[in-house]
Amino acid sequence: MRALRYQTFADPVDLRVEDVPEPVPAAEEVLVRIHAASVNPVDWKIATGSFRLLVRGGLPRTMGSDFAGEVIATGAGVTRLATGDRVFGFVDPFTRTGGTFAEFAAVPSKFAHRLPDAVSFRDAAALACVGATAVTLCNLGRVTLGSRVLVNGAAGGVGHMAVQVAKARGATVTATSSSIRHDFLRALGADACIDYRSVPMDRWPQGFDAVLDCVPNLPRAVQRKLLRRGGSYVTTVPGPVTLLLDPLLNLPGGVQRRGVMLQPDAAVMKELLGYVAQGQLRCSIEQEFPLSEARSAIERSRSGRVQGKLLLRVP
C-alpha cells in the first residue's frame, strides 16, 4: 500500500509517499480502507520534533490522525464493528507509528465510530478531530444556553467548528480573526467579530463566561481580564502550568483554566453528528489534495492561513 512517511524528526520534514506492507489489525483493532483524511497541525508538528518528549514509538512513522473509510477486517475481541461498516474518527498520533495518510490503517476500535450514510467520507474526515475538539472545548468551558463565549482563532479548523458548536448550544459568540475572515465567521453564526490585527487585546470586550483559545496565544493576564469571575478559559494546547498547577489554582473559584486532552468519546461524536444531521454544523474544506500531493497540503497547513480544513483524498 502507499503511505506518507518520514524517517527522522526534523524541520524541514522529509516526507515521502512510499510502498509499505498493509497493516494487520491487532486485538481490539479494525483495519480501515481509508477514503479520506484531513490535515491537523499536530501531524506535522510531531514530525518536526516539536513534541519529541511526548511521542511514543520509533521511526519511521506514517503521518496522519483523522480518517474516514470502510472496515475491511477486524482483530480479535472486536464486537462493536464489523466488516463493511462505514467509520470515521482519529488515532492518537503521539503513540502510534502507523498514521492515516495511507491507503489502509489499523485503528483501535474505540477510536472508530459508525458513520451515517447521509454523511460523506469527505465531510467526515474533515470533521473528526476538529469537531471532537470543539465539542470538548465547549464541555470544558461549560458552554450552555445564554453563555457569552469568545472563540480566539475562530477561522481555523477547530475555531470555526467551536463557533458553530457554541451557537448550537445557544451561546452568544464573539470570534477573533483577521478582518478578511469576518464574513465567513458571521455566515457560521458568530454574533460579533474582532480583528486581532487592528484591535489590541486590552481593548477586547470583557465579562465572557468562556474563552475558547484555539490558537492559543492569550497571556494569562489577558485571560483573566476577558472572563467574569468563575469564567472558564480552555486551550487546545495545554502547557505544563495548565496540566500540573491549574487544577489546584482553579480551586479558589476565580478563573477556571483547563486544557483539551482529546480521547475517544462516543457521546462527543453523537453530539457532533446530531448537529450535522440538523444542519447546525458544517466543516469548511478550503482545499483537497490527492495523497501523492500530501506534501503540498502540509506546506499549506504550515502557512497558518488556512480557512477551515485541508483534505487528503485516498483512492
Side-chain angles (χ1 to χ4, degrees):
M1 72 167 190
R2 295 184 305 151
L4 185 71
R5 309 239 288 177
Y6 54 96
Q7 306 289 329
T8 61
F9 296 114
D11 193 4
V13 184
D14 184 16
L15 293 171
R16 301 180 184 182
V17 177
E18 301 176 351
D19 289 319
V20 297
E22 183 180 307
V24 176
E28 304 296 336
E29 290 185 344
V30 293
L31 182 63
V32 178
R33 184 191 304 277
I34 305 295
H35 288 274
S38 65
V39 179
N40 296 301
V42 70
D43 298 324
W44 51 262
K45 286 181 180 180
I46 288 174
T48 64
S50 298
F51 300 117
R52 190 171 304 206
L53 294 179
L54 300 177
V55 173
R56 300 292 178 265
L59 293 162
R61 300 175 82 91
T62 297
M63 186 178 279
S65 46
D66 280 346
F67 70 89
E70 178 185 357
V71 175
I72 62 169
T74 60
V78 175
T79 58
R80 189 175 57 84
L81 297 169
T83 300
D85 283 348
R86 301 172 79 248
V87 292
F88 81 118
F90 55 88
V91 298
D92 183 351
F94 292 97
T95 61
R96 298 187 69 82
T97 59
T100 60
F101 294 175
E103 293 179 314
F104 301 90
V107 176
S109 60
K110 65 182 179 180
F111 283 85
H113 305 270
R114 282 194 180 88
L115 181 64
D117 291 340
V119 182
S120 69
F121 291 128
R122 172 184 182 273
D123 290 340
L127 183 70
C129 189
V130 293
T133 301
V135 173
T136 304
L137 279 168
C138 288
N139 285 344
L140 293 173
R142 298 174 292 186
V143 175
T144 58
L145 178 65
S147 295
R148 293 186 63 229
V149 177
L150 175 71
V151 179
N152 187 40
V158 173
H160 88 289
M161 299 296 289
V163 168
Q164 295 175 83
V165 172
K167 286 299 296 181
R169 291 187 173 195
T172 299
V173 177
T174 298
T176 75
S177 74
S178 60
S179 60
I180 197 173
R181 310 294 192 194
H182 287 183
D183 287 345
F184 166 68
L185 292 169
R186 290 190 181 98
L188 297 178
D191 298 283
C193 296
I194 299 171
D195 180 3
Y196 69 88
R197 291 178 175 173
S198 62
V199 182
M201 290 179 181
D202 59 8
R203 290 174 49 198
W204 291 5
Q206 299 179 7
F208 290 101
D209 298 296
V211 171
L212 311 181
D213 197 354
C214 305
V215 180
N217 66 353
L218 298 179
R220 289 178 72 88
V222 171
Q223 298 164 19
R224 186 167 55 251
K225 289 180 179 179
L226 291 171
L227 288 160
R228 65 165 178 81
R229 180 169 177 78
S232 298
Y233 168 84
V234 192
T235 173
T236 55
V237 186
V241 173
T242 300
L243 293 174
L244 301 176
L245 295 181
D246 279 335
L248 297 176
L249 298 175
N250 288 343
L251 294 178
V255 169
Q256 305 289 299
R257 294 182 174 92
R258 300 177 176 87
V260 172
M261 300 295 289
L262 203 58
Q263 296 292 330
D265 189 318
V268 165
M269 291 305 194
K270 182 179 180 180
E271 180 176 349
L272 198 59
L273 290 173
Y275 295 143
V276 173
Q278 295 162 20
Q280 294 177 289
L281 183 147
R282 62 180 177 87
C283 190
S284 176
I285 298 172
E286 180 189 91
Q287 194 171 352
E288 299 182 31
F289 301 81
L291 181 62
S292 59
E293 297 177 16
R295 282 174 291 185
S296 297
I298 301 302
E299 291 172 6
R300 176 61 182 162
S301 177
R302 295 194 68 171
S303 74
R305 297 190 298 270
V306 178
Q307 178 175 290
K309 291 284 289 179
L310 301 172
L311 193 76
L312 295 181
R313 301 189 306 273
V314 185

